[in-house]
Amino acid sequence: MTKKAINNDVLLANIIKGIEEVKGQDIDILDLRDIDTSVCDYFVVCNGTSNTQVNAIVNSIQKIVSKELHDKPWHVEGSDNAEWVLMDYVNIVVHVFQKHIREYYNIESLWGDAKITTIENKY
């Protein structure tokens, strides 16, 4: 049985919804499609204020994507210490950071050629 392909725009919208449900902050979407060496189409980067909120963001994303699209991440890494959790949805990779860890790694600067879209907080 083959897996049904999920539209990237629909998956992105549900990931953003999952982040916003638990007040994730500083949401950036990095469009990597025009970069030859990229491993996926998009990075979604956000942060929480504590390891508890980082885990809440990850759980919210998984819950909403599972409920709406019947999909789950191919791989999740970093949940144990919840400073930087990576969620791999194959075409979209989500990075959920604690704020100080995000500032330290500055992942957006590593992909300087990417088109970055910032999602304004709704709260």
Side-chain angles (χ1 to χ4, degrees), residues 7 19-20 30 32 35 38-39 47-49 60-61 81 85-87 90-91 93 97 102 107 122:
N7 180 301
I19 296 168
E20 291 177 336
L30 283 68
L32 307 173
I35 300 174
S38 70
V39 295
N47 55 267
T49 57
S60 178
I61 293 168
N81 64 3
V85 179
L86 180 139
M87 305 174 72
V90 183
N91 290 332
V93 176
F97 290 95
R102 181 178 183 175
I107 197 168
K122 293 182 176 179

Side-chain angles (χ1 to χ4, degrees), residues 36-67:
D36 293 336
T37 58
S38 70
V39 295
C40 63
D41 292 339
Y42 297 96
F43 277 172
V44 177
V45 184
C46 69
N47 55 267
T49 57
S50 66
N51 59 345
T52 303
Q53 188 183 21
V54 166
N55 276 327
I57 293 167
V58 170
N59 291 337
S60 178
I61 293 168
Q62 287 179 317
K63 179 180 170 186
I64 288 173
V65 170
S66 176
K67 181 180 176 188

Side-chain angles (χ1 to χ4, degrees), residues 1-107:
M1 184 171 158
T2 59
K3 188 174 179 179
K4 186 179 109 178
I6 294 176
N7 180 301
N8 279 349
D9 293 337
V10 174
L11 180 56
L12 267 173
N14 280 279
I15 289 169
I16 300 304
K17 181 179 175 184
I19 296 168
E20 291 177 336
E21 285 276 317
V22 290
K23 295 185 172 40
Q25 301 171 349
D26 305 319
I27 306 167
D28 287 335
I29 301 170
L30 283 68
D31 186 342
L32 307 173
R33 293 175 294 179
D34 292 334
I35 300 174
D36 293 336
T37 58
S38 70
V39 295
C40 63
D41 292 339
Y42 297 96
F43 277 172
V44 177
V45 184
C46 69
N47 55 267
T49 57
S50 66
N51 59 345
T52 303
Q53 188 183 21
V54 166
N55 276 327
I57 293 167
V58 170
N59 291 337
S60 178
I61 293 168
Q62 287 179 317
K63 179 180 170 186
I64 288 173
V65 170
S66 176
K67 181 180 176 188
E68 299 294 327
L69 305 176
H70 308 289
D71 195 17
K72 61 182 181 178
W74 178 72
H75 185 70
V76 177
E77 191 170 319
S79 295
D80 291 341
N81 64 3
E83 291 182 345
W84 176 1
V85 179
L86 180 139
M87 305 174 72
D88 187 350
Y89 281 96
V90 183
N91 290 332
I92 300 173
V93 176
V94 183
H95 299 271
V96 184
F97 290 95
Q98 287 189 35
K99 187 173 180 73
H100 68 283
I101 301 295
R102 181 178 183 175
E103 291 169 353
Y104 178 80
Y105 285 103
N106 194 11
I107 197 168

